[in-house]
Amino acid sequence: MVGKFLNRIQENKFVLWSLILTITVIWGYAWVLMKESLNFMGPFVFSSFRFGIGAVTLLLMVVFLKVGFPPRESWKHLLVVGLLQTAIVFLLVMFALKFVDAGKSSVLLYSMPIWSSILATKFLHEKITPAKLTGLFLGMLGLLAILGGDIWMGQDIGVIFGELLIIIAAISWGISNVYYRLHVQHLSKIQATAFQMLFGAIVILIVTLFMEWGEPIQFNAVSVYYILFTGILASALCFFVWFVIISVVDIVTATLSTLLVPLFGLLFSSFFLNETMSFSMIIGFIFIIFGIAVAQIRKPRRV
């Protein structure tokens, strides 16, 4: 079943880009819920619930699809991916959201493509074509336009600290993408996604017990919705689709396409959280979309 799914994606660009658009919209909206969840519980507690539910959902899919457990020799690699992509990224991001706006946080995290692209050329020997290099440059230029001069304008120290944490998270995500391709790609995608998230959730839970034990938690319809949406859709579903995508296309194209996430993150944050959208943000949107389009330009094959 999963094999047929992969083949269809490889053969049909419309299916591929439909999946990319779906996960970018969900991830963009999830930034609003992540920020708002801090009104009900601590950042690490929320992450524990989110990825615990995500891991359980994926493990149930593993059982339902009769995929089985991954080979024992792969567990250490799945632990590394879970640590890099789930634990480090979201522990840092959720803590940083205490200081930084949701929309701007999404922009900072999605500086990830530049780190993935650099590492991919070094360790995966992927070639960055002129079109992809131009698209990557335009995408990063769009991010810089959205960020404006915040880092250089003497912001509050808490905001600057939060932004640095998110940049570190972006680097960690970039490393995990390359590590996945090097050591985990041969596994079933549902296996890889489920067990890396399980290991990541365990690490997050350990940090939570040390950092937020005894802190108040408010359970109501809203907070439960935040946990279920981010756990089942933004984590279990989207991470599975993400691992599928980076398995069938090159790292540069895949990671560059995720620059749509901060676009949706800013739009949703502006609409739901009343975060300000400046003229520079609008200009940044244009650069990001144009960069994605340029990156997909291919040289015509010689007959």
Side-chain angles (χ1 to χ4, degrees), residues 104-123:
K104 187 165 292 183
S105 297
S106 68
V107 171
L108 284 169
L109 184 62
Y110 284 87
S111 65
M112 173 270 290
I114 189 67
W115 314 114
S116 289
S117 301
I118 292 171
L119 292 167
T121 59
K122 173 67 175 176
F123 296 103

Side-chain angles (χ1 to χ4, degrees), residues 35 50 54 64 149 170 192 195 301:
K35 180 74 171 181
R50 171 184 177 176
F64 176 75
F195 283 87
R301 294 182 180 179

Side-chain angles (χ1 to χ4, degrees), residues 286-301:
I286 295 172
F287 275 115
I288 289 170
I289 295 173
F290 190 53
I292 292 172
V294 170
Q296 301 310 306
I297 295 175
R298 299 178 182 272
K299 290 183 178 180
R301 294 182 180 179

Side-chain angles (χ1 to χ4, degrees), residues 215-292:
E215 291 194 10
I217 304 172
Q218 296 182 44
F219 283 117
N220 54 42
V222 176
S223 62
V224 170
Y225 165 69
Y226 292 166
I227 291 170
L228 293 179
F229 184 96
T230 56
I232 296 174
L233 294 181
S235 299
L237 173 64
C238 287
F239 273 81
F240 168 63
V241 174
W242 171 249
F243 282 128
V244 168
I245 289 170
I246 65 173
S247 297
V248 299
V249 299
D250 62 88
I251 285 287
V252 177
T253 300
T255 54
L256 186 62
S257 67
T258 60
L259 289 174
L260 282 169
V261 176
L263 185 151
F264 289 120
L266 285 163
L267 287 173
F268 288 132
S269 297
S270 175
F271 184 78
F272 291 107
L273 304 178
N274 296 317
E275 294 180 0
T276 305
M277 283 183 60
S278 64
F279 178 72
S280 64
M281 290 183 182
I282 297 173
I283 296 299
F285 292 166
I286 295 172
F287 275 115
I288 289 170
I289 295 173
F290 190 53
I292 292 172

Side-chain angles (χ1 to χ4, degrees), residues 28 40 55 59 77 100 102 177 182 188 195 197 203 211 217 234 260 279:
F40 301 98
L59 290 172
H77 298 304
V100 187
N177 288 334
L182 286 172
S188 159
F195 283 87
M197 190 170 293
V203 173
M211 299 295 293
I217 304 172
L260 282 169
F279 178 72

